[in-house]
Amino acid sequence: MIMIKPDLVRILIILLLTFYNNISGQINLNSRAQWFVNDRFGMFIHFGLYSGAEGVWKGEKLRNDNNYAEWIQYRNRITKEEYLTLTDKFNWNEIDPEKWVILAKNAGMKYVTITAKHHDGFALWDSKTSDYDIANYTNPKRDIIRELADACNKHGLKLGLYYSHWVDWEHPYGWDHTKEISGISSADFDKYWQEKVIPQMTELLTNYGPIGMIWFDMWIHHSQTVVTKDQLLQLKQLIRDQQPDCLINSRLGLSLEEDKDVDFQELGDNEFGQKKKDFPWQSPATVAHSWGYNRLDNDFKSTTSLLQSLISNVSLNGNLLLNIGPRSDGSIPYEIEKRLLEMGEWLRINGESVYGCSASDLPKGMNDWGVITEKKNPYGTKLYLHLFSLPPDRKLKLTGIKSTPLAAYMLDDKNRSQLSFIHNEIITEIVLPNVFTEKLIPVIVLEYQKSPDCVIDMAAQNIEGGYCLTSLNSVSFVEKNMLIPKSRGGTVPSYLSIKSPIILKWKIYINTPGRKSIDASYSYQGKALNNQINLKVSNNELKHKITNTGKTIGEPKSDWVIDNFRSSLLGSINFNEKGYYDLEISIIPAKNEEIKFQWLWLK
Ligand code: JFZ
């Protein structure tokens, strides 16, 4: 027998953990979710009887502007009997779930989540619990979940199942929003729960091999619904017992505070990340608006914007679950298929910057040209700079990284031809190629020996080489209630409401010395003559008197009169040498007056 010293065990564990963390790059996740944060991109499939209605019923379109065609039975008040006539519309000889899986694979997606049972209560598999299922209405019997599970196995994708546990329009005691009028007893709802939810979930968890995730869909906390915490715990326990590796999304309905044992947070529909989070999360998204096929829903997002949503999420540690709504013959609308395939093409070349990547430590939006993902491995760290916009002078400035890169090249360049760059303190200036071979989103790779040091309290130079200084990139603490969000359709910008003297400070790095001018944008509606802005940099000082900025018209409508935000020159200052500068302004409003401060612009 080999004896292992406790010390050695400790060292081994530490080594293992270090390696583990380096691979994932994302902390605060349980081991179950490891594949999920690695894979980043999945396919959502909304398919059901509603797919046959296509968002129209008896010539009338869906009674809701959100276009959610899978809600047509509820919205257009269709009885169960009439709704079932939709089964005649389906062309079962054509419907082949393997085609959806192949599309997912070609799109670079690593998992597939299908509506096993949506709100209409109709099961897409051969359910022993309920006759309200696909097997009962097809001859020979079909089981879409089985076929999809087989196809996923064959092509190496993980299978996720959407199951509407709260809303069910078929079962007399399932939740249906009209019960807000009629009411429902908790005993009756529990009948539905024990008679349909638990047995159907048991079927799904025991008959279809490994399930990667269960996608529940209760988008409000259980306390606001008829569902009880105990019922949710029962359901969760069932999953943990039957499939210990299966992920559960946060729309189960328990808050993360009351139960930490949910595996990832699901954001709202088409809601994308705003902030880096370590806990795994995902945005469900559509290519147009509807989830189920809607023939009138033609507002398709571009491939570039879909890719940007995916990459931006990854840059904040998030995933993207992008939806297709097949038609009643199984086909995918051309506009959706085309975009998915284009995403796949991009990922085949540039996927290294998405799969297995996580957030960098720089705050979202700090560099205005795009987003950054990061990959650590035992040999070093790579940063991937995704260019959403291109600087007109073809010199990309990355602000915030202290370390000097070892190498810089385009991710799609097999030869890794080096891009020339200059590194100054915290600005890496990279000379971009004149022509990009990548037409959608070019990616620059920067290699470092180890995870590079970041400076996060700096205001970055923007794409035009200037600095836009707001309360958001300042180092000063600002009371939340002073931040006024934009309003009136964005014609009134967001601003800082200043009613008593305040000091705001920024840290910037100047890499091109010289004289720079400084403007301030603000609105002032009063009559006082002693409102002041004083600016200090090193030993220089600029003083500025604030005067009334008047009104303007936001839109050509007589009632759209809004405060004017005007840019005024404060003066110019000589920045003699390269280096860090502290910039400070004091804004001193006259007594009882309000200054609406927007930004400083330094260039
Ligand atoms: C739900 C479903 O009702 C819809 O049919 C679709 O399946 C979608 C993926 O999920 O819709 C929602 C869920 C959450 C919100 C809004 C609509 N939300 O958080 O605001």
Side-chain angles (χ1 to χ4, degrees):
M1 196 176 132
I2 308 168
M3 289 287 287
I4 303 178
K5 286 188 184 157
D7 266 4
L8 195 61
V9 172
R10 231 187 54 217
I11 290 168
L12 271 173
I13 288 176
I14 290 173
L15 270 175
L16 237 132
L17 281 177
T18 323
F19 186 67
Y20 193 76
N21 269 336
N22 277 346
I23 293 299
S24 77
Q26 189 172 339
I27 48 172
N28 195 6
L29 67 148
N30 62 43
S31 54
R32 229 183 263 133
Q34 194 71 53
W35 68 265
F36 178 76
V37 302
N38 189 65
D39 287 357
R40 293 298 185 204
F41 189 29
M43 173 184 270
F44 212 173
I45 304 176
H46 275 68
F47 185 66
L49 294 185
Y50 46 80
S51 313
E54 307 189 348
V56 181
W57 187 255
K58 297 186 178 173
E60 180 194 352
K61 71 188 195 62
L62 182 87
R63 291 181 200 161
N64 191 319
D65 292 335
N66 72 7
N67 274 357
Y68 283 13
E70 68 283 2
W71 274 73
I72 195 144
Q73 183 187 15
Y74 182 84
R75 295 295 179 200
N76 292 40
R77 313 308 307 148
I78 305 170
T79 62
K80 184 173 163 183
E81 288 64 39
E82 282 205 299
Y83 189 63
L84 274 170
T85 62
L86 286 168
T87 50
D88 302 337
K89 277 208 173 181
F90 286 73
N91 185 347
W92 289 105
N93 296 328
E94 294 294 322
I95 296 170
D96 179 6
E98 187 180 1
K99 289 189 183 151
W100 308 335
V101 173
I102 291 170
L103 174 62
K105 186 150 190 162
N106 289 334
M109 295 156 158
K110 306 289 186 188
Y111 52 101
V112 170
T113 300
I114 189 168
T115 49
K117 187 198 89 174
H118 202 265
H119 303 334
D120 61 7
F122 191 80
L124 279 197
W125 73 98
D126 185 1
S127 175
K128 304 292 172 247
T129 307
S130 163
D131 280 346
Y132 203 56
D133 70 350
I134 204 123
N136 201 30
Y137 293 91
T138 45
N139 188 11
K141 285 179 194 259
R142 292 290 290 262
D143 184 329
I144 297 293
I145 302 306
R146 165 93 50 227
E147 294 172 29
L148 196 71
D150 290 347
C152 280
N153 266 334
K154 181 169 163 192
H155 296 282
L157 276 79
K158 288 213 155 57
L159 175 67
L161 300 176
Y162 172 113
Y163 187 90
S164 180
H165 58 323
W166 167 43
V167 177
D168 187 308
W169 303 323
E170 182 262 339
H171 194 283
Y173 301 133
W175 179 255
D176 163 329
H177 287 65
T178 63
K179 295 203 167 85
E180 286 180 16
I181 304 168
S182 61
I184 180 173
S185 73
S186 39
D188 279 348
F189 184 77
D190 197 54
K191 265 188 212 140
Y192 154 70
W193 196 265
Q194 308 303 342
E195 266 172 19
K196 189 165 181 181
V197 176
I198 297 296
Q200 284 201 327
M201 283 297 301
T202 309
E203 293 177 13
L204 291 172
L205 291 163
T206 47
N207 293 338
Y208 296 91
I211 304 298
M213 71 171 79
I214 300 289
W215 211 100
F216 290 114
D217 198 2
M218 187 162 75
W219 52 91
I220 48 181
H221 186 249
H222 65 80
S223 59
Q224 294 170 269
T225 73
V226 60
V227 188
T228 65
K229 184 173 174 180
D230 283 345
Q231 286 163 337
L232 296 178
L233 290 175
Q234 178 195 12
L235 185 53
K236 186 167 68 85
Q237 198 52 49
L238 175 71
I239 301 169
R240 296 291 182 238
D241 288 346
Q242 297 298 333
Q243 299 239 10
D245 293 334
C246 178
L247 303 184
I248 301 176
N249 74 343
S250 59
R251 287 198 199 171
L252 174 66
L254 296 168
S255 69
L256 293 176
E257 289 74 41
E258 70 189 314
D259 189 358
K260 295 260 176 301
D261 185 33
V262 158
D263 299 295
F264 66 92
Q265 191 201 353
E266 198 78 54
L267 267 48
D269 300 5
N270 285 306
E271 182 194 340
F272 300 103
Q274 293 305 323
K275 236 181 119 172
K276 172 186 166 180
K277 270 180 265 178
D278 281 326
F279 191 72
W281 59 273
Q282 164 168 272
S283 304
T286 48
V287 179
H289 295 283
S290 183
W291 301 88
Y293 178 63
N294 182 339
R295 65 170 181 256
L296 303 176
D297 188 40
N298 292 319
D299 223 348
F300 302 106
K301 296 162 196 165
S302 69
T303 305
T304 301
S305 83
L306 293 167
L307 276 172
Q308 288 189 359
S309 300
L310 168 64
I311 302 161
S312 301
N313 272 10
V314 177
S315 82
L316 301 170
N317 285 336
N319 286 31
L320 181 71
L321 186 67
L322 188 59
N323 181 72
I324 61 167
R327 296 190 186 88
S328 53
D329 64 356
S331 65
I332 315 296
Y334 173 74
E335 296 285 4
I336 294 179
E337 180 168 34
K338 180 174 151 218
R339 284 161 176 76
L340 260 56
L341 292 175
E342 285 169 356
M343 291 178 86
E345 252 169 68
W346 186 90
L347 283 161
R348 252 188 300 289
I349 294 164
N350 301 289
E352 185 192 316
S353 73
V354 168
Y355 308 119
C357 284
S358 51
S360 87
D361 290 326
L362 296 182
K364 176 180 157 80
M366 178 168 172
N367 287 284
D368 70 336
W369 40 255
V371 303
I372 307 169
T373 61
E374 178 171 324
K375 188 176 276 166
K376 294 181 183 136
N377 66 42
Y379 321 105
T381 293
K382 288 180 186 174
L383 291 186
Y384 301 96
L385 316 185
H386 297 84
L387 307 186
F388 291 1
S389 322
L390 299 176
D393 62 358
R394 295 263 148 180
K395 290 192 183 113
L396 187 82
K397 281 152 213 130
L398 163 68
T399 300
I401 305 289
K402 274 192 153 172
S403 324
T404 308
L406 303 172
Y409 52 90
M410 299 307 301
L411 181 53
D412 68 342
D413 178 6
K414 286 200 190 71
N415 303 320
R416 298 195 172 183
S417 322
Q418 291 301 305
L419 302 172
S420 62
F421 63 85
I422 312 165
H423 184 81
N424 270 313
E425 273 307 307
I426 56 149
I427 297 189
T428 314
E429 188 178 305
I430 305 152
V431 181
L432 300 176
N434 284 328
V435 185
F436 290 111
T437 41
E438 171 54 55
K439 300 299 176 202
L440 296 181
I441 301 174
V443 186
I444 296 172
V445 186
L446 296 182
E447 290 188 353
Y448 299 87
Q449 204 138 41
K450 57 181 181 51
S451 192
D453 295 329
C454 294
V455 183
I456 55 171
D457 56 354
M458 305 285 302
Q461 219 178 96
N462 82 350
I463 226 167
E464 293 128 60
Y467 299 78
C468 186
L469 307 174
T470 67
S471 56
L472 297 177
N473 57 13
S474 102
V475 291
S476 309
F477 171 77
V478 179
E479 303 255 2
K480 263 229 165 88
N481 59 9
M482 290 173 68
L483 272 171
I484 312 297
K486 68 179 180 186
S487 59
R488 305 209 66 178
T491 57
V492 179
S494 65
Y495 61 87
L496 200 62
S497 168
I498 296 167
K499 292 176 180 156
S500 54
I502 183 177
I503 292 178
L504 293 172
K505 294 181 184 178
W506 291 269
K507 267 177 86 134
I508 58 171
Y509 183 83
I510 296 282
N511 61 337
T512 49
R515 187 159 276 281
K516 319 251 174 210
S517 68
I518 300 170
D519 303 318
S521 174
Y522 56 82
S523 173
Y524 171 59
Q525 298 299 312
K527 292 199 186 81
L529 297 171
N530 53 341
N531 299 289
Q532 278 282 132
I533 296 186
N534 298 330
L535 177 135
K536 274 193 222 160
V537 188
S538 313
N539 294 323
N540 301 297
E541 211 169 329
L542 296 174
K543 286 188 187 289
H544 174 80
K545 243 189 185 30
I546 292 175
T547 52
N548 187 295
T549 58
K551 299 280 181 189
T552 184
I553 298 294
E555 286 289 338
K557 288 181 195 161
S558 56
D559 65 343
W560 204 291
V561 182
I562 53 176
D563 294 350
N564 191 29
F565 280 78
R566 190 179 64 194
S567 167
S568 307
L569 180 68
L570 302 188
S572 69
I573 283 179
N574 200 5
F575 291 83
N576 287 322
E577 41 196 298
K578 278 187 189 177
Y580 293 100
Y581 289 86
D582 291 310
L583 219 123
E584 173 182 321
I585 57 169
S586 26
I587 302 176
I588 310 156
K591 204 167 187 269
N592 297 327
E593 295 292 317
E594 180 192 21
I595 311 291
K596 298 175 175 178
F597 171 76
Q598 200 191 1
W599 44 249
L600 292 183
W601 173 242
L602 184 149
K603 193 174 182 233

